[in-house]
Amino acid sequence: MCSMGFARSLGFALLPLAVCCIMANILLFFPGGEIQYVQQERLSRLIWFMMGIGGGGVLMFLPAGVFISLGKCTGCCWNESFMMCGSVMAALVGLGGSGYCFIISAMAILEGPQCFTALGWSYPFANEGGRYLMEKDTWSKCLQPVSIVEWNVTLMSILLGLSGLEFIICVLQVINGLVTAVCRPCCYKQDYTLNA
């Protein structure tokens, strides 16, 4: 039963992480709180992949829900094994979602934001391989949206961190579920008696 309690606590930990991923991704659509850039489609192309809304957000509600619901139907050791196998499957879905969010966020940070420069709308940091992150004086290349580099780097870093935590939580549940499903410690403690 403690493996189910551990899984439930992992599920409760996933919920706020998923909500924060959704909020961070939504904020990426409104640099500086302005809506004109989304209306003019002047956002970085990778933002439209919705990594925080889909991968790190909505998709994480499935494993969170499965983990939290563990232990609701108890009774026999085989139920526990089957439930833990189901939680491993849900954790694998979570690994896919958090991995997707992490990879797309990392790619977006390396590419840098789309912004208006002296040469027009472009990706001024796209071919630098992320060097612009260490050269803060180059951020002034972006004239509009105001502080777009700081906005994108901050929110993408938040998405990287949150999806990394989600990934770790799902890996922990895969290990927990496999150990519980394979070992089934409760089965070895059962007393088999015949009642006449």
Side-chain angles (χ1 to χ4, degrees):
M1 275 318 247
C2 24
S3 59
M4 288 195 189
F6 179 68
R8 290 186 69 172
S9 64
L10 293 178
F12 284 117
L14 279 177
L15 288 176
L17 295 175
V19 170
C20 289
C21 277
I22 291 170
M23 290 190 317
N25 199 153
I26 289 171
L27 287 173
L28 282 168
F29 285 104
F30 307 102
E34 298 180 32
I35 62 169
Q36 68 189 27
Y37 301 108
V38 74
Q39 292 172 336
Q40 298 168 358
E41 297 184 18
R42 296 291 185 189
L43 299 174
S44 299
R45 65 183 178 87
L46 291 173
I47 292 174
W48 295 102
F49 283 59
M50 310 235 184
M51 62 283 191
I53 294 172
V58 173
L59 199 57
M60 297 310 293
F61 289 130
L62 172 69
V66 170
F67 301 167
I68 290 169
S69 68
L70 286 177
K72 300 274 179 169
C73 50
T74 58
C76 125
C77 162
W78 291 101
N79 275 352
E80 183 176 346
S81 295
F82 287 130
M83 286 188 293
M84 292 310 268
C85 286
S87 76
V88 168
M89 295 299 168
L92 292 175
V93 170
L95 286 174
S98 59
Y100 172 76
C101 183
F102 189 89
I103 290 169
I104 300 297
S105 298
M107 288 171 54
I109 284 180
L110 289 175
E111 183 179 65
Q114 179 185 24
C115 61
F116 185 77
T117 64
L119 302 172
W121 287 96
S122 66
Y123 291 89
F125 311 111
N127 299 322
E128 294 183 9
R131 276 194 319 267
Y132 78 97
L133 295 168
M134 302 300 172
E135 300 167 357
K136 197 170 180 177
D137 55 320
T138 63
W139 295 6
S140 59
K141 288 182 188 177
C142 288
L143 305 174
Q144 286 182 8
V146 177
S147 303
I148 186 64
V149 179
E150 293 90 338
W151 185 266
N152 271 20
V153 168
T154 302
L155 292 172
M156 292 294 180
S157 298
I158 289 170
L159 284 173
L160 275 173
L162 292 173
S163 60
L165 288 173
E166 290 172 342
F167 193 87
I168 291 168
I169 288 171
C170 289
V171 166
L172 288 173
Q173 181 51 31
V174 167
I175 294 167
N176 179 37
L178 288 176
V179 167
T180 303
V182 172
C183 296
R184 295 188 311 269
C186 69
C187 284
Y188 300 118
K189 296 178 185 172
Q190 283 185 354
D191 223 3
Y192 295 100
T193 57
L194 296 174
N195 294 330

